[in-house]
Amino acid sequence: SGEEQSPLLFQFHKDGFLVLEQFFSAEECDSMRRQIQGIVEAMEVPPHCRTAFSTREEEQLREQGSSDYFLTSGDKIRFFFEKGVLDEKGNFLIPKEKSVSKIGHALHAYDPVFKQITHSPKVQELGRKLGLERPVVVQSMYIFKSLLAVTPHQDATFLHTEPLGRILGFWIALEDATQENGCLWFIPGSHTNGISRRMVRAASGASTCVEFVGSEPAYDDKQFLPLPIRKGGLILIHGEVVHKSELNSSESSRHVFTFHVMEAKGTTWSKENWLQPTPELPFPSLYT
């Protein structure tokens, strides 16, 4: 009931986000970074990045390969690269570990370290405090944040549910996230107006694998609040809160592990979402 709501919960529902400093230990953060280091060292460059292309047809094949690689990454551990880091034969132009922008989307299911973090007792306890009855993990990503800015968006644009309000992001800083290296910025309270844009799977045979329906409103820069957070901190992100990150203008990286949870009770996952559960990997329960 409303009376029993904790101050933390109240804050989360008011702002659409919640900052929990020192949620994970430095050791837990370092174990995730070490694990990723090993994964990157063993990484093979995906085939669609290795084709030198000269004709429009080869270019299309490459784009098709790239979109298939993305669309079928929900139940795998796959690599997404910064632009311009590979030559046309798929060889690295810069150090391997600086070339990857993110790894997704099933670290939580297939990697022992990330699985342990995702289902750690304190995460499960937090889920219960938030009143989640049947939370399932829909995706996870390791984000390197070397350079790029991330434009203002709502996670529910990409992960649509009926009804809305069933998606929750867990965003874990594995290093200090500062204004210089690209911390998150939020518009407090912006999670109460629904969504104006959706990313859906394109009809088969279309030139792109996904398309956007609706339009992104123009957001007022002055409304965004920066949320720097120290290593080990967790930011809870409501699926409809508007947030962004600026480009990383520092020398230091800003590694993050993030995963999304859906309250499955009474919820329908959109068949049009790019990400779909598979027979190999139905969305696993957060609670173990």
Side-chain angles (χ1 to χ4, degrees), residues 142-164:
Y142 190 101
I143 303 172
F144 294 81
K145 186 63 181 179
S146 326
L147 295 164
L148 295 177
V150 176
T151 53
H153 66 282
Q154 299 165 290
D155 292 344
T157 285
F158 308 96
L159 309 171
H160 192 268
T161 60
E162 297 275 334
L164 284 170

Side-chain angles (χ1 to χ4, degrees), residues 209-250:
C209 60
V210 293
E211 54 198 11
F212 284 97
V213 180
S215 59
E216 196 65 83
Y219 296 111
D220 175 3
D221 269 349
K222 292 192 287 295
Q223 291 190 301
F224 282 94
L225 180 77
L227 286 195
I229 187 165
R230 288 190 297 277
K231 174 177 176 172
L234 168 70
I235 302 180
L236 279 180
I237 305 174
H238 187 286
E240 284 123 84
V241 74
V242 178
H243 58 290
K244 66 173 182 176
S245 67
E246 296 298 337
L247 53 91
N248 182 350
S249 58
S250 74

Side-chain angles (χ1 to χ4, degrees), residues 93-108:
L93 297 167
I94 63 170
K96 222 174 170 180
E97 61 282 0
K98 286 202 162 71
S99 70
V100 184
S101 66
K102 64 178 194 186
I103 298 177
H105 286 91
L107 285 160
H108 62 280

Side-chain angles (χ1 to χ4, degrees), residues 130-152:
L130 291 163
L132 299 175
E133 292 186 53
R134 276 184 41 215
V136 296
V137 187
V138 297
Q139 70 161 11
S140 56
M141 283 185 290
Y142 190 101
I143 303 172
F144 294 81
K145 186 63 181 179
S146 326
L147 295 164
L148 295 177
V150 176
T151 53

